[in-house]
Amino acid sequence: MSSQEPSKVSGQFHSVKGTAVETIGDVTGMSSWSQSGKEEHAKGEGEYNAAQAKGYAEGVSDRVTGYKDSVVGAVTGDKSQQTAGNVKNEKGQTQQEINKPT
């Protein structure tokens, strides 16, 4: 995992690459490859899970903010704010569904 934001794509890449390296090590009897493959796989899984959790949390935040804006817009009669709030709420819900923990 790098010092950048966690990424689901990067996490999956390192997970799969680690599994491949581990398999090569197992088949060839090279324990150093097996060990480094296991480590890379674990780091990849960790990065994927961190990115998934971050996306889910962002979805929760968008849903709450969107709901608040929608209610305020409805109460004040500001249809633009109400619509924007509804859109943000739906975006957050979609983001939560995509990043739902498995």
Side-chain angles (χ1 to χ4, degrees):
M1 207 159 72
S2 68
S3 62
Q4 298 175 347
E5 293 287 322
S7 162
K8 288 171 88 173
V9 172
S10 174
Q12 282 185 319
F13 170 78
H14 288 291
S15 176
V16 170
K17 180 181 170 206
T19 299
V21 169
E22 180 182 0
T23 301
I24 290 169
D26 289 344
V27 168
T28 61
M30 298 173 72
S31 61
S32 63
W33 276 53
S34 295
Q35 185 59 38
S36 73
K38 285 179 186 178
E39 290 170 5
E40 186 165 4
H41 172 79
K43 287 179 183 177
E45 289 294 307
E47 181 176 3
Y48 180 88
N49 291 336
Q52 187 176 35
K54 182 178 183 290
Y56 190 86
E58 288 171 353
V60 169
S61 176
D62 282 350
R63 284 186 76 181
V64 169
T65 303
Y67 182 75
K68 175 201 58 97
D69 288 347
S70 176
V71 169
V72 170
V75 169
T76 61
D78 186 344
K79 295 291 183 191
S80 174
Q81 183 179 12
Q82 184 178 4
T83 301
N86 287 336
V87 168
K88 190 165 192 167
N89 182 290
E90 290 173 13
K91 176 185 168 239
Q93 185 173 3
T94 300
Q95 195 167 9
Q96 278 185 288
E97 290 171 9
I98 290 170
N99 291 291
K100 186 181 252 183
T102 52

